[in-house]
Amino acid sequence: NAGVTQTPKFRILKIGQSMTLQCTQDMNHNYMYWYRQDPGMGLKLIYYSVGAGITDKGEVPNGYNVSRSTTEDFPLRLELAAPSQTSVYFCASRSTSAHEQYFGPGTRLTVT
Amino acid sequence: TQLLEQSPQFLSIQEGENLTVYCNSSSVFSSLQWYRQEPGEGPVLLVTVVTGGEVKKLKRLTFQFGDARKDSSLHITAAQPGDTGLYLCAGGTNFGNEKLTFGTGTRLTIIP
């Protein structure tokens, strides 16, 4: 049982490039979330999903897109990378019947 | 927008001392979670409190949810170097479709 896995662990992008951050969970959780964490700060919700085929915006969705074609996968897409998107990105999941969110190890993204 | 303010932002104390971290908001939450995050990793849940006035103990850690469900505290007794980390509170609303609002974080360092 791997829990929540994220790839890549680190990435450097040039301004204007695109990339997809991958997130997979093997706990059959319906709820999945994407957060960003800026240095020394808490986490801000980018997008979330309550099940396959359903996604919704969080607090800071601009510049990002998501899809949820399966229960297991919840990729985050950056279309035109900007320096303001330099951050650590965390994916999380939780079951319908519990409060606890399980987090992946994060992806550290630098846009220069 | 719901905000959760944590204080202090930074805390550095000697091993064996006691400490309290506070998490305050003007908003009411249906649940309050505390997470600990270590460098290079995602947050890990410590506790969830859901009832106003609730107190939960986890070994040397004591968590309290305010009567009005707007604030919470984390008290650590006889701090140990293993307690070092970033402590995050997170308020939840609408359990069936719960999104978390994370606090600003308290970075705790325990000096041996």
Side-chain angles (χ1 to χ4, degrees), chain B residues 4-74:
Chain B
L4 274 170
E5 296 284 342
Q6 287 185 238
S7 60
Q9 189 177 358
F10 300 95
L11 184 58
S12 183
I13 63 171
Q14 294 288 135
E15 180 177 359
E17 293 183 349
N18 301 333
L19 67 107
T20 302
V21 175
Y22 299 94
C23 174
N24 294 295
S25 176
S26 58
S27 302
V28 175
F29 293 99
S30 59
S31 70
L32 202 294
Q33 301 176 33
W34 284 92
Y35 290 81
R36 181 167 68 208
Q37 185 180 17
E38 303 199 11
E41 298 181 9
V44 175
L45 182 72
L46 295 173
V47 78
T48 301
V49 285
V50 296
T51 304
E54 183 176 0
V55 177
K56 279 192 175 178
K57 291 194 174 188
L58 185 68
K59 296 183 181 178
R60 294 176 294 100
L61 279 61
T62 302
F63 304 86
Q64 184 161 10
F65 200 11
D67 290 341
R69 304 208 310 272
K70 294 181 179 181
D71 55 87
S72 180
S73 63
L74 157 60

Side-chain angles (χ1 to χ4, degrees), chain A residues 79-100:
Chain A
E79 289 295 347
L80 291 169
S84 60
Q85 293 178 304
T86 292
S87 191
V88 181
Y89 291 83
F90 289 99
C91 178
S93 72
R94 75 169 180 96
S95 74
T96 308
S97 57
H99 292 280
E100 179 175 7

